[in-house]
Amino acid sequence: MRVDVLGAGPAGLYLAILLKKADAGHQITVTERNPPDATFGWGVVFSEETLGGLRDADYPTYLEITDTFARWDAIDIRYRGELLRSRGHGFAAIARKRLLAILQERCRELNVRLCFETDVVDIENFGVGADLVVAADGVRSLLRERHAAGFGPTIVPQGGKYAWFGTDLVLDAFTFLFRETEHGLFQVHSYPFDEHTSTFIVECQEPTWRTAGLDTMSEDESIAFCEDLFAADLRGHRLMSNRSVWQTFPRVENRTWRQGNVVLVGDAAHTAHFSIGSGTKLAMEDAIALANGFERHRDDVPAALVDYEAQRQPVVARFQRAADDSAEYFRRVGHHTGMAPTQFVFNLLTRSGRIGHAELTVRDPAFTSRVDNWFGGDQNTLAPPPAFAPLRLGELSLPNRIVRTGAPNGAGLAYGEFVAVTPEGRITPETPVLDSENAVAMAEAAHAAGARFALRLGHAGARGSTRPAAGGVDIALAEGWPLVAASARRYGPAPDSAAMPAELTGAGLDRVLDAFAKAAGMAADTDVDLVELDLAHGHLLAGFLSPLTNRRTDEFGGDLTARLRFPLAVVDAVRSVWPSGRPLSACVTVTDWHRHGLTVDDGVRITGALAEHGVGLVRVSAGQTVAECQPDYRRGFLTRMADRVRSEAGVPTVVGGYLTTVDEANTIIGAGRADLCELT
Ligand SMILES: Cc1cc2nc3c(=O)[nH]c(=O)nc-3n(C[C@H](O)[C@H](O)[C@H](O)COP(=O)(O)OP(=O)(O)OC[C@H]3O[C@@H](n4cnc5c(N)ncnc54)[C@H](O)[C@@H]3O)c2cc1C
């Protein structure tokens, strides 16, 4: 085969090596604009898990790379003047220049043609006549641009502003630094990569970058600024630039990675935010998968490319999600700077979901004990993991932080099923309407199992009068009862979906208000421990909050302040009869998952307003406001939203979202992303 590779980064060089190794008869040319010894950036970090793949793919380069590695197993975090160290993480790093030199040398050994200092601008004619054209030309790939209609790239800026410096300070751990300034928070990701040098990436949010004046500083001035800012950490050492200009990280994704005989590898195909340090690893693993595809399908180019894409896309998608979570964490880390150092560090270490409480216990048991003891409020005794720490809400004490709906099964808090405040507020004919007998019975069952009991009160609004769920969700009863909602809008577009509701007006609004207050008053005379109001699931009160379902022109419609008015009136009415020592909770849709609907920013505002009116706990929910929303259901999908509500609105949260393990609960609660975890 004749293979033309554009770009002599890790992806292009490593692929050339592997293809040439598989068949010395291939004619492979790698074209690169830079000279062989020039590149951007400093050191790149690999986690130990990456290395097995490199060993099996090409042992000589594996040996060279691993012999050169700087290795360490600790992560240091300097935050609020404290230094915390967590061990057992197994990292290795190498200078990017050295890595490329090793790969270039191996290419030469195998007779790969390397053409340096050749900037390809005539992209139309690149690779004409080749059997395979490889776009290994990085994040701003011209080849990808040339075939953009086919590849379908999506490129969006991710995270804040960063500059990739080097320093002659030789660290002995992966080091995160956080420095608060009058302009905002700056953070550093730093690690050693040889005996003389460390990578030192400085990052901040764009407004911080601007107010600090970095947008107008020269390269030398910005180095001086960063040296001054991190003088205490640099201890007299210098920062060094290698085209270290301030940039925004581009998140790259492509609908497909192959177009005829042109294939994308490495950053041209996908990027993963640098804060999880995986781009080089992913680029080299792409090369391995593509070479394997050719080995399996001989030189059948289309079959090999299909195989490559099928193997790699799901793996890369998983990494990109972890990287997205990590980038989002650093974008919002300023909201966590109120945390105590131990929790802040646990939150940081568990940010991308790849390490949880159990994994950290294996890597560094002393650190998780520290987290448990801090969480348990006692530094001297052995505390249980966070999910088993008791929680006090008002006068209510929960024995642990596990929540279940239905059967209590060891939970600290058990939620009952949805109970309607009036017969018209039922979802189906089987939905119970509150009377004191069923409230007493549900609370007794939970108490007998050692749990506290939360009564869920709601009104189905536009989603009422439907068949029981076993007969299909949101299918209208043939002969149901009349529906009311914030506005006259059907829940779903299908002809058999829930019926058209009437807009709730005048006396109707008062009746609903009274019904909620009466139900809460009734519950107050029983042993119900907590009342939760349903402001989610497309039900009546949620319908007032969302612009998708509230089209009113009176004082209850309009901007978010107006849309909050009626739900807040209900909260006030309930709070006035519900004993002040007993907590009032709300289940809230914090995003509609619809481009014209509520965003998480709105959700934070809503929960903040609810808290001001006496709601002491928020159970986070998403979507279901209208049938046409575009949900993003995946394990733990609510956790980031709960984290935002908790850290930005300052309200304790309950989070669910397909969480099933106590380890997830320990991680989320210990990291302060939620206060209670609902396990299914
Ligand atoms: C701040 C930062 C820190 C990072 N840290 C890490 C880390 O710790 N660990 C890690 O694994 N990854 C890290 N990465 C990611 C890593 O650098 C990339 O994922 C990796 O370099 C991708 O390899 P590649 O071969 O696909 O592309 P590149 O390394 O970008 O190589 C592409 C090559 O193509 C050449 N080229 C482009 N266009 C043309 C043209 N028209 N003509 C000729 N030549 C051309 C370029 O000069 C370049 O040499 C980091 C990235 C950033 C931004």
Side-chain angles (χ1 to χ4, degrees):
M1 279 197 313
R2 188 186 128 191
V3 182
D4 285 6
V5 180
L6 183 59
L13 291 171
Y14 202 49
L15 178 68
I17 292 167
L18 300 182
L19 288 178
K20 192 73 178 174
K21 238 185 80 170
D23 187 339
H26 290 327
Q27 297 169 40
I28 304 178
T29 308
V30 182
T31 307
E32 165 62 47
R33 64 159 68 104
N34 288 327
D37 58 349
T39 186
F40 64 88
W42 294 88
V44 288
V45 63
F46 286 85
S47 66
E48 291 286 358
E49 298 103 71
T50 318
L51 303 176
L54 299 191
R55 183 191 54 221
D56 299 341
D58 185 53
Y59 196 60
T61 47
Y62 164 78
L63 278 187
E64 276 286 322
I65 292 170
T66 50
D67 277 356
T68 316
F69 269 155
R71 293 175 185 273
W72 70 93
D73 83 339
I75 300 179
D76 279 356
I77 296 105
R78 282 180 191 273
Y79 161 75
R80 283 217 222 139
E82 273 197 48
L83 171 66
L84 282 87
R85 173 165 283 202
S86 170
R87 293 183 182 279
H89 298 285
F91 287 110
I94 184 169
R96 188 177 147 93
K97 267 190 198 168
R98 180 76 192 112
L99 172 69
L100 295 182
I102 292 169
L103 299 178
Q104 288 165 12
E105 191 45 42
R106 181 77 171 128
C107 279
R108 288 189 196 99
E109 228 172 81
L110 293 167
N111 288 325
V112 171
R113 216 171 133 237
L114 299 177
C115 301
F116 288 101
E117 298 179 69
T118 311
D119 191 4
V120 174
V121 280
D122 178 13
I123 205 71
E124 292 291 330
N125 289 314
F126 182 81
V128 171
D131 299 292
L132 177 68
V133 178
V134 181
D137 50 345
V139 68
R140 287 176 189 83
S141 167
L142 274 189
L143 268 173
R144 184 187 62 216
E145 267 334 285
R146 159 73 186 80
H147 301 280
F151 289 126
T154 309
I155 304 163
V156 288
Q158 185 168 48
K161 288 280 178 188
Y162 76 88
W164 192 355
F165 298 113
T167 171
D168 54 359
L169 167 70
V170 183
L171 296 159
D172 63 351
F174 196 115
T175 304
F176 290 106
L177 308 172
F178 294 89
R179 182 64 36 88
E180 280 171 296
T181 71
E182 56 189 311
H183 313 295
L185 184 71
F186 284 81
Q187 63 247 13
V188 165
H189 312 236
S190 187
Y191 47 88
F193 61 83
D194 63 25
E195 62 276 26
H196 309 294
T197 337
S198 302
T199 271
F200 198 91
I201 305 168
V202 183
E203 193 191 15
C204 64
Q205 294 313 303
E206 184 154 348
T208 302
W209 180 71
R210 281 189 197 287
T211 46
L214 285 158
D215 56 334
T216 55
M217 283 186 203
S218 68
E219 206 171 320
D220 286 347
E221 286 169 335
S222 91
I223 286 195
F225 176 92
C226 293
E227 279 178 347
D228 189 42
L229 186 58
F230 294 103
D233 309 286
L234 287 167
R235 288 171 270 145
H237 290 269
R238 308 301 309 269
L239 291 183
M240 300 178 284
S241 174
N242 179 10
R243 288 182 269 167
S244 306
V245 290
W246 289 93
Q247 308 190 32
T248 307
F249 189 86
R251 185 189 188 282
V252 175
E253 194 178 303
N254 284 273
R255 197 173 53 241
T256 173
W257 299 353
R258 59 199 161 81
Q259 247 336 272
N261 69 339
V262 185
V263 65
L264 303 176
V265 290
D267 275 9
H270 48 73
T271 56
H273 191 258
F274 62 80
S275 57
I276 65 162
S278 295
T280 308
K281 156 212 159 78
L282 290 176
M284 293 176 79
E285 286 174 351
D286 283 357
I288 295 172
L290 185 52
N292 285 344
F294 277 99
E295 204 143 304
R296 267 196 292 275
H297 300 278
R298 296 290 147 200
D299 298 335
D300 178 347
V301 174
L305 299 192
V306 169
D307 187 324
Y308 158 66
E309 188 173 300
Q311 269 192 65
R312 285 299 286 161
Q313 266 202 337
V315 179
V316 167
R318 231 182 27 243
F319 265 91
Q320 283 191 306
R321 278 194 167 162
D324 293 346
D325 288 349
S326 178
E328 183 64 8
Y329 167 84
F330 283 105
R331 198 166 77 80
R332 300 200 160 273
V333 66
H335 291 288
H336 290 145
T337 48
M339 282 180 176
T342 301
Q343 186 170 47
F344 181 86
V345 170
F346 184 65
N347 186 298
L348 170 67
L349 295 175
T350 57
R351 69 191 181 280
S352 71
R354 289 188 303 171
I355 300 176
H357 185 277
E359 175 63 25
L360 197 61
T361 306
V362 173
R363 295 186 188 199
D364 188 353
F367 191 81
T368 32
S369 294
R370 180 181 174 145
V371 172
D372 297 350
N373 287 348
W374 174 83
F375 201 88
D378 186 346
Q379 308 296 320
N380 303 317
T381 57
L382 206 56
F388 298 99
L391 176 68
R392 204 167 170 85
L393 292 166
E395 287 169 10
L396 176 65
S397 284
L398 303 180
N400 65 56
R401 281 119 181 289
I402 305 286
V403 171
R404 293 194 193 269
T405 301
N409 292 347
L413 183 66
Y415 277 91
E417 62 180 318
F418 174 96
V419 174
V421 291
T422 62
E424 304 74 48
R426 288 172 299 161
I427 303 168
T428 77
E430 293 176 357
T431 304
V433 179
L434 186 70
D435 62 51
S436 47
E437 241 169 67
N438 62 15
V440 166
M442 287 188 282
E444 266 178 8
H447 292 160
R452 305 288 179 265
F453 178 67
L455 177 71
R456 294 171 55 206
L457 287 180
H459 186 302
R463 289 186 84 182
S465 188
T466 59
R467 288 191 210 166
V473 180
D474 294 317
I475 298 177
L477 291 171
E479 285 182 30
W481 53 89
L483 299 183
V484 288
S487 296
R489 185 195 192 281
R490 288 172 84 117
Y491 180 73
D496 58 355
S497 88
M500 175 66 87
E503 179 170 309
L504 196 59
T505 51
L509 289 164
D510 294 340
R511 270 199 301 278
V512 168
L513 207 72
D514 291 346
F516 271 100
K518 194 163 156 245
M522 199 185 290
D525 294 334
T526 69
D527 281 342
V528 166
D529 299 291
L530 180 152
V531 158
E532 179 185 88
L533 300 179
D534 183 351
L535 277 76
H537 314 112
H539 291 161
L540 182 70
L541 298 181
F544 276 84
L545 294 174
S546 172
L548 300 172
T549 46
N550 183 339
R551 310 267 167 81
R552 302 174 72 100
T553 51
D554 62 4
E555 75 267 36
F556 300 118
D559 64 9
L560 185 54
T561 306
R563 299 199 306 272
L564 266 161
R565 216 162 262 143
F566 184 66
L568 289 179
V570 172
V571 169
D572 290 342
V574 166
R575 193 66 274 187
S576 67
V577 294
W578 181 241
S580 59
R582 286 197 243 177
L584 177 63
S585 161
C587 183
V588 182
T589 300
V590 296
T591 168
D592 286 332
W593 271 334
H594 188 290
R595 77 198 156 98
H596 301 301
L598 294 171
T599 62
V600 182
D601 284 338
D602 296 322
V604 169
R605 272 191 63 196
I606 290 169
T607 48
L610 292 169
E612 282 172 17
H613 285 251
V615 167
L617 182 70
V618 164
R619 187 148 64 113
V620 171
S621 181
Q624 298 189 48
T625 305
V626 292
E628 318 83 81
C629 72
Q630 294 198 304
D632 179 16
Y633 294 127
R634 52 169 159 142
R635 199 174 178 125
F637 68 93
L638 294 170
T639 306
R640 266 205 271 167
M641 302 175 203
D643 188 356
R644 286 204 52 195
V645 166
R646 188 174 188 276
S647 61
E648 294 176 36
V651 192
T653 54
V654 185
V655 70
Y658 305 135
L659 302 175
T660 56
T661 67
V662 170
D663 182 40
E664 287 167 310
N666 284 328
T667 307
I668 290 168
I669 294 165
R673 297 189 181 97
D675 298 86
L676 290 156
C677 256
E678 187 176 356
L679 299 186
T680 45

